[in-house]
Amino acid sequence: MGWIDTLNAFVARSAVGRWFRLEGSGTKVERAGSKFSIELRAGLTTFVAMAYIISTNALILTDSGGTCDCDRELYGATCATDPAYTKCLQGLKLDLITATCAISCLACILMGALANLPIALAPGMGLNAYFAYTVVGYHGTGKVSYRNALAAVCIEGIIFFVLSLVGLRQWFARLIPVSLKTATAAGIGIYLSFIGLQSAAGIGLITGSPATLVELGGCPPQYRDANNVCKGHHMEGGPTWLGILGLMLIGTMLLYRLKGAILIGIALVAIISWPRPTSVTYFPYTPAGTDAFNFFKKVVTFHPIESTLNQFHWDLSSGEVWIALVTFLYVDILDCTGTMFSMAKFGGYMDERTQDFEGSSMAFLVDSSSIAIGSAFGCSPLTAFIESGAGIAEGGRTGITTIVTGVMFFIALFFAPIFASFPPWATGPALITVGSMMMQNVVQINWKYIGDGLPAFITIIMIPFGYSIGYGLIAGIGSFIFINSSVNLIHRISGGRIAPPNYADRDDWLGFVTRGGFKSNIPPWIMRLFGKQPVSIGDCDESNNSDMCASNDTSSELKEVTVSRDQHAHQF
């Protein structure tokens, strides 16, 4: 037994191992395949895969103008010619880098410690763009001020918390049909791969096109226009080929089940990209490249938050504020719910019978509270990150993975120049690889019944093409309701005489949703607080032969589905 095995065994037998249910901890339900050393590596992998959020989120939110302002009659609507405004934006960006690291650190540690899930939280991409460019507007040209928008985000987090506390958010999650949950995971996989193929957060193999929307790219940066569309020299860019090499290396290492394959691939490509006098450098000899390199050379630095902390303005009289609040609410509910359930299924701890996973109630509470706290730091809404799949692919099974990710965000507070300098073509191969892994459950969709299969397919394609998990779920749920409600109505009116030939092959969605009643969604501690026995939809009445679950069972915890060793070895 090597020292790593000795360490794993020691931690598993400790109080830490029992809390996180590591394999060998002796707890009633262990997380199969979970080892301390693997959790550490998985947490580091998740962080590296999502480290781009540190600089990207700060850059996007800085475009809102934040708390900076100028004389717009003198300098124009965007204050572009005001030197003082430009200097203020530079300080704002550093504030937001610190804020992003701080709130991501806190949210990840809470998620890992309280929910025991390998799902990382950080300010969500898409939501930050909506916040900056639609709600507040570029340099504050929108109808809602930055401070007012932060108040809307805080209220959204509080509403989320209440919905999670009383079980309504869990109830909503149960309402999503099984096929759509599985399709969401597959759609997120394609979404991840699509991001990994682009130039903003990937290898640049795919770029925009005015004629066909997307086309083959791979051109050097100097041959791209302002919209990252290649004007020529396709497939001649060194970074794209380096990213492709990284993808091939990760795939080969995974084939041989080399531990840390994804992390090794990311680090290798990043290190190759750091020297300046190369065709694949992340720091070209341009003003932006020089600024980035000067920041990179600092290695260690810390910038305290000066202008974004607790900047609320509680003016809710504007209709635009309420529109923004409702939009944040429904998009974040769908995004976060879809991501969490997809990661649970990908990690193998989704209970297929209850379509829930252990720790879901606490996960929702942590997510909602993190949104409210994040707004106090000056950030847009937080959400579960699909890049968590990279850590799960490395073997992450418990909250230790997420705690390690949180600790890395804390370290990034002081080493932001390093972690903010991972080029997109280094992390892109990891996103593509994880995307391919997330497609494996697509065979579990009920394709033989079109009422389940078509909405699932719509969900899969709309998530990447609509560039939103929430919009994909809306499309899938809407089509599912229309098709199956029509079939059910015709079936009832005709007395059962008119029905699809394979009507019996459909998923029994209504039977599952009504199983256990509303009480089965209320967190157990709430039920105990009012002197009631917790109810689980996984507890069945053994006195009859029905699969329907009784609401009077004494179990308060959902049974956990663990991944066998063989499955773990096959997948990872």
Side-chain angles (χ1 to χ4, degrees):
M1 179 182 290
W3 69 271
I4 294 180
D5 292 329
T6 302
L7 175 65
N8 288 334
F10 174 77
V11 175
R13 291 191 298 268
S14 68
V16 173
R18 291 190 294 274
W19 176 265
F20 292 103
R21 302 185 181 184
L22 294 175
E23 186 176 78
S25 62
T27 56
K28 185 177 180 181
V29 181
E30 299 177 353
R31 296 278 173 90
S34 59
K35 292 180 172 59
F36 183 66
S37 60
I38 295 177
E39 298 295 315
L40 295 180
R41 187 177 70 238
L44 183 58
T45 301
T46 298
F47 171 76
V48 173
M50 61 186 292
Y52 70 89
I53 195 63
I54 296 174
S55 56
T56 305
N57 184 62
L59 182 65
I60 291 174
L61 293 183
T62 298
D63 280 347
S64 72
T67 55
C68 300
D69 205 355
C70 73
D71 185 342
R72 299 183 185 269
E73 292 184 0
L74 179 62
Y75 294 105
T78 62
C79 305
T81 59
D82 184 1
Y85 188 83
T86 302
K87 184 177 181 179
C88 179
L89 291 180
Q90 293 172 353
L92 176 66
K93 182 179 179 181
L94 295 177
D95 282 354
L96 289 170
I97 286 177
T98 301
T100 301
C101 291
I103 188 57
S104 300
C105 165
L106 177 63
C108 288
I109 290 176
L110 289 176
M111 178 65 79
L114 300 180
N116 195 21
L117 294 171
I119 301 176
L121 298 173
M125 292 293 292
L127 283 171
N128 55 7
Y130 174 74
F131 179 98
Y133 301 120
T134 302
V135 180
V136 182
Y138 180 72
H139 286 189
T141 55
K143 297 181 179 180
V144 180
S145 70
Y146 173 78
R147 291 180 173 87
N148 220 0
L150 289 179
V153 172
C154 183
I155 294 172
E156 179 224 349
I158 295 172
I159 294 174
F160 259 175
F161 188 85
V162 173
L163 291 178
S164 302
L165 197 64
V166 300
L168 283 175
R169 196 170 176 185
Q170 294 87 315
W171 176 262
F172 173 78
R174 274 182 61 195
L175 288 177
I176 302 175
V178 177
S179 288
L180 296 192
K181 290 178 182 174
T182 305
T184 301
I188 289 175
I190 300 176
Y191 185 25
L192 265 180
S193 299
F194 191 38
I195 293 172
L197 289 170
Q198 298 175 50
S199 56
I203 64 178
L205 186 61
I206 298 297
T207 64
S209 168
T212 58
L213 295 183
V214 294
E215 66 178 6
L216 191 67
C219 58
Q222 61 268 30
Y223 295 105
R224 298 180 195 153
D225 63 15
N227 296 317
N228 272 328
V229 176
C230 286
K231 297 181 291 185
H233 298 268
H234 295 263
M235 296 306 296
E236 295 181 12
T240 295
W241 284 108
L242 181 58
I244 292 173
L245 175 63
L247 177 61
M248 297 300 103
L249 288 175
I250 290 175
T252 303
M253 288 187 288
L254 286 173
L255 191 62
Y256 287 96
R257 296 177 184 173
L258 181 64
K259 295 180 179 179
I262 295 177
L263 184 58
I264 292 172
I266 292 173
L268 182 62
V269 173
I271 292 171
I272 294 174
S273 304
W274 283 339
R276 294 200 79 178
T278 67
S279 61
V280 295
T281 182
Y282 187 50
F283 309 110
Y285 289 99
T286 62
T290 300
D291 288 343
F293 188 65
N294 290 335
F295 183 60
F296 173 72
K297 288 191 298 182
K298 291 181 179 179
V299 182
V300 180
T301 185
F302 176 75
H303 177 83
I305 300 177
E306 298 174 349
S307 63
T308 63
L309 198 61
N310 195 26
Q311 293 294 321
F312 298 118
H313 178 53
W314 302 98
D315 181 9
L316 304 179
S317 59
S318 169
E320 298 294 333
V321 175
W322 288 101
I323 292 174
L325 194 155
V326 172
T327 303
F328 284 140
L329 194 64
Y330 84 79
V331 172
D332 207 10
I333 264 192
L334 293 174
D335 271 11
C336 189
T337 301
T339 301
M340 282 193 182
F341 275 82
S342 297
M343 292 299 113
K345 195 172 188 66
F346 182 46
Y349 44 87
M350 171 77 82
D351 190 325
E352 297 298 339
R353 195 152 58 92
T354 64
Q355 284 299 299
D356 202 352
F357 56 93
E358 185 188 17
S360 61
S361 294
M362 185 56 69
F364 289 137
L365 289 173
V366 169
D367 169 57
S368 55
S369 58
S370 297
I371 291 173
I373 298 171
S375 65
F377 283 80
C379 289
S380 54
L382 275 73
T383 190
F385 253 60
I386 52 180
E387 284 80 1
S388 303
I392 295 174
E394 280 290 340
R397 288 293 177 272
T398 73
I400 295 176
T401 293
T402 317
I403 291 176
V404 171
T405 302
V407 171
M408 293 305 298
F409 272 113
F410 176 77
I411 295 174
L413 282 169
F414 308 95
F415 291 89
I418 299 296
F419 295 117
S421 299
F422 280 87
W425 54 87
T427 57
L431 301 184
I432 297 170
T433 303
V434 173
S436 70
M437 294 176 176
M438 293 188 68
M439 288 295 295
Q440 62 188 347
N441 289 322
V442 75
V443 296
Q444 298 178 12
I445 294 174
N446 185 22
W447 294 112
K448 59 186 177 182
Y449 185 71
I450 198 70
D452 295 322
L454 181 58
F457 180 72
I458 291 173
T459 302
I460 291 174
I461 61 174
M462 283 303 298
I463 287 177
F465 296 158
Y467 222 72
S468 167
I469 301 168
Y471 294 155
L473 266 173
I474 289 173
I477 292 172
S479 58
F480 181 91
I481 291 174
F482 182 86
I483 294 173
N484 289 284
S485 296
S486 300
V487 171
N488 185 57
L489 182 62
I490 295 172
H491 185 265
R492 287 179 178 273
I493 292 176
S494 65
R497 290 185 294 273
I498 303 177
N502 61 338
Y503 189 58
D505 292 333
R506 73 193 188 284
D507 285 338
D508 187 15
W509 171 75
L510 185 60
F512 170 76
V513 169
T514 57
R515 184 188 304 170
F518 174 74
K519 290 182 180 180
S520 64
N521 296 277
I522 301 176
W525 71 270
I526 291 287
M527 296 291 288
R528 294 190 185 101
L529 183 65
F530 289 95
K532 303 293 184 180
Q533 185 64 42
V535 177
S536 169
I537 58 174
D539 301 320
C540 294
D541 186 358
E542 296 181 354
S543 64
N544 56 54
N545 295 324
S546 172
D547 289 331
M548 303 300 290
C549 291
S551 61
N552 60 349
D553 198 281
T554 60
S555 174
S556 64
E557 298 291 337
L558 290 172
K559 298 178 181 179
E560 178 180 13
V561 176
T562 57
V563 183
S564 69
R565 296 177 186 270
D566 291 341
Q567 288 175 316
H568 182 269
H570 173 71
Q571 294 178 4
F572 307 114

